[in-house]
Amino acid sequence: MDVVKELVLHSPDCCKQVDDDGNNALQLVMKSKKNHFATDFLVGHQWLSSREVINEMNHEGNTPLHLLAHSQLDLRFFLSERKVDKMTFNNEKLNAMDIILSTKDLHGDKGLNLKKIEKCQG
């Protein structure tokens, strides 16, 4: 994900570009399921912290939050961002909580993520 960081730093307009599946730079990081530190960097970056980019849906209707929920990494930092729409449904009519509930607990963060998202959806 260092490549994505460098790309965003040197060419901020790339944040609005999407791949063939409709994923922007933030969604690609979320799909990597590896580096939540890159997520922290990207959400804090002015170009990627716009409501438009942070809640953009790909062709499957997944926002960066949906993709992060699939990864089962710690969601706390991302959920603390006020601009993130925590209630958005994808094309399968699933929100982030539904996705967390339907996936295996790969990293030991499932319970923590459920509590955090329940609090946000409150």
Side-chain angles (χ1 to χ4, degrees), residues 48-116:
L48 281 170
S49 63
S50 74
R51 194 175 300 273
E52 175 188 343
V53 173
I54 213 165
N55 293 308
E56 185 173 3
M57 292 183 174
N58 63 16
H59 296 317
E60 296 172 344
N62 289 317
T63 65
L65 179 58
H66 289 105
L67 298 171
L68 188 58
H70 274 290
S71 75
Q72 288 296 312
L73 294 173
D74 186 349
L75 298 170
R76 285 178 292 180
F77 180 82
F78 195 68
L79 288 173
S80 67
E81 174 59 52
R82 291 179 291 150
K83 297 174 188 169
V84 174
D85 184 348
K86 286 101 176 160
M87 296 299 292
T88 300
F89 290 89
N90 64 13
N91 295 351
E92 295 176 1
K93 307 291 186 243
L94 300 173
N95 63 19
M97 180 178 278
D98 298 328
I99 293 168
I100 294 169
L101 287 169
S102 69
T103 57
K104 291 184 179 183
D105 190 1
L106 301 174
H107 308 289
D109 290 323
K110 185 172 183 171
L112 184 64
N113 285 337
L114 283 171
K115 286 180 187 177
K116 181 66 178 178

Side-chain angles (χ1 to χ4, degrees), residues 1 4 25-33 35 38-39 42:
M1 288 301 98
V4 175
L26 186 57
Q27 289 164 321
L28 292 173
V29 170
M30 301 304 186
K31 286 181 81 164
S32 75
K33 301 181 183 185
N35 192 343
T39 304
L42 292 172

Side-chain angles (χ1 to χ4, degrees), residues 1-9 29 32 35 37-38 41-42:
M1 288 301 98
D2 291 333
V3 173
V4 175
K5 282 185 185 181
E6 287 298 316
L7 189 59
V8 170
L9 287 172
V29 170
S32 75
N35 192 343
F37 298 111
F41 163 80
L42 292 172

